[in-house]
Amino acid sequence: MSATMLDGRELAAALRATLTAEAARIAHERGRRAHLTLIASGDDPTATLYAAQVAQSCERIGLGCALRRYPADIAETVLRTELAVLGARGDVDGVVLLLPLPGHIRQRVVTEVLAPEKDVDGLGPRNAGRLMLGFPSYVPSTADAALELLHAAQIPIQGQNVVIIGRSNVGGKPAGLLFLRENATVTFCHSRTIDLASVTRQADILFTSVGRPAYVTADMVKPGAVVLDAGMNAVDGRMVGDVAEDGVREVAGALTPVPGGLGPLTRLMLIRHTLVGPR
Ligand SMILES: NC(=O)c1ccc[n+]([C@@H]2O[C@H](COP(=O)([O-])OP(=O)(O)OC[C@H]3O[C@@H](n4cnc5c(N)ncnc54)[C@H](OP(=O)(O)O)[C@@H]3O)[C@@H](O)[C@H]2O)c1
């Protein structure tokens, strides 16, 4: 068997046209372009690449985008104030704190001051809480991209066994909650899971957000399963996912490639949140 590759680029191109029309409508209505501000602390290469890709997508679609870059030793209080101030500005529609944060910065402490209606990547407690309760909320863009891709490919979710590897607040956890919202049976795995492969082999849909190249191997995948790879790992100057693609594509029924799978859609989800609001 050779897996169908789930092409995020194709879907992104179609979505881009819709979002471009929406951005133009908003610009006309408000007399200014919608605006997204990205905040980077430190110079993590994956975050730097992601910021450049988001800025390019904003430019193409017709949003303003600013990147505010701070040194890795920025004080937590300064970053916190920055988020509060940006969230209160009338000319800023969305604010995204790029991850990973430097070790001394607590994500909880800085994101709790961001206005929930500007927290378009759903990192703050208000949006995360609403997602947990099943209420409309901004959700982290990668999780949203995974569901978007499945819907477009008409892959059923309801009643399916979904196994999530990784429980970060930006990756695995929101993805699992979105699948639960769509009536999947969800299992979360993490670094303390015992006999991970025996759990992942139960998955009809396997979502991974671990951050380790080639971590998910063919023996961990049920034949015919759908494998969604959210990993973005810089290796020798190129981007690879968490999945050992060569082996897994022989077992899986469908697979998101890296690059070209969830990545292109993730940035469009961020832009859609900024233009359209919570889902
Ligand atoms: N930062 C973003 O905005 C973003 C968004 C989507 C995807 N990504 C990409 O996705 C990957 C993960 O990112 P993240 O932010 O979710 O990472 P993270 O915060 O480092 O979390 C990694 C998760 O993987 C689990 N894990 C680590 N080693 C494991 C193992 N051997 N077996 C099973 N689980 C293990 C960890 O378990 P414990 O909780 O037990 O430690 C943790 O829950 C990266 O490649 C990243 O670039 C990033």
Side-chain angles (χ1 to χ4, degrees):
M1 178 192 285
S2 191
T4 302
M5 298 311 265
L6 295 171
D7 187 348
R9 288 185 176 131
E10 209 174 290
L11 182 54
L15 257 170
R16 201 176 293 120
T18 312
L19 293 175
T20 302
E22 183 61 13
R25 191 193 65 74
I26 288 173
H28 180 72
E29 191 180 279
R30 296 185 193 160
R32 66 165 180 85
R33 298 195 301 175
H35 183 94
L36 181 63
T37 294
L38 310 172
I39 300 181
S41 39
D43 55 2
D44 177 77
T46 307
T48 303
L49 176 66
Y50 181 59
Q53 290 172 331
V54 171
Q56 189 190 41
S57 294
C58 284
E59 183 60 38
R60 285 180 77 177
I61 289 169
L63 284 82
C65 181
L67 171 62
R68 292 179 166 238
R69 188 179 281 289
Y70 297 96
D73 62 357
I74 184 174
E76 190 177 75
T77 47
V78 175
L79 195 55
R80 187 177 146 95
T81 305
E82 200 53 35
L83 254 76
V85 169
L86 279 166
R89 271 176 52 170
D91 59 345
V92 173
D93 302 291
V95 180
V96 176
L97 182 65
L98 296 171
L99 302 176
L101 296 172
H104 65 287
I105 306 261
R106 291 165 294 174
Q107 187 178 321
R108 173 182 61 78
V109 172
V110 288
T111 56
E112 70 187 0
V113 296
L114 176 59
E117 66 277 13
K118 305 284 175 76
D119 176 21
V120 290
D121 215 17
L123 288 182
R126 178 81 71 89
N127 280 299
R130 291 180 64 90
L131 173 62
M132 206 277 283
L133 294 171
F135 298 166
S137 59
Y138 285 117
V139 298
S141 302
T142 304
D144 211 4
L147 276 287
E148 185 76 18
L149 198 51
L150 294 183
H151 291 157
Q154 299 187 317
I155 292 172
I157 297 172
Q158 178 161 306
Q160 300 294 291
N161 279 332
V162 175
V163 175
I164 308 283
I165 320 179
R167 56 175 163 178
S168 73
N169 290 334
V170 72
K173 212 180 277 174
L177 290 169
L178 278 184
F179 278 112
L180 188 62
R181 196 191 266 188
E182 300 210 8
N183 300 318
T185 303
V186 180
T187 304
F188 288 95
C189 300
H190 45 76
S191 67
R192 321 287 163 85
T193 298
I194 293 168
D195 194 1
L196 180 66
S198 72
V199 183
T200 60
R201 278 197 297 269
Q202 305 299 315
D204 302 309
I205 299 173
L206 180 61
F207 175 98
T208 173
S209 183
V210 173
R212 292 187 176 204
Y215 184 66
V216 176
T217 47
D219 60 307
M220 296 167 71
V221 176
K222 176 163 113 174
V226 176
V227 180
L228 302 166
D229 189 351
M232 292 196 304
N233 310 300
V235 174
D236 299 332
R238 66 190 185 96
M239 204 52 76
V240 300
D242 290 343
V243 172
E245 219 172 278
D246 286 348
V248 169
R249 69 188 303 166
E250 297 308 317
V251 180
L255 169 65
T256 57
V258 178
L262 296 180
L265 272 181
T266 294
R267 38 191 190 270
L268 289 200
M269 292 300 103
L270 195 55
I271 290 172
R272 182 164 81 181
H273 298 167
T274 309
L275 293 173
V276 179
R279 78 194 287 276

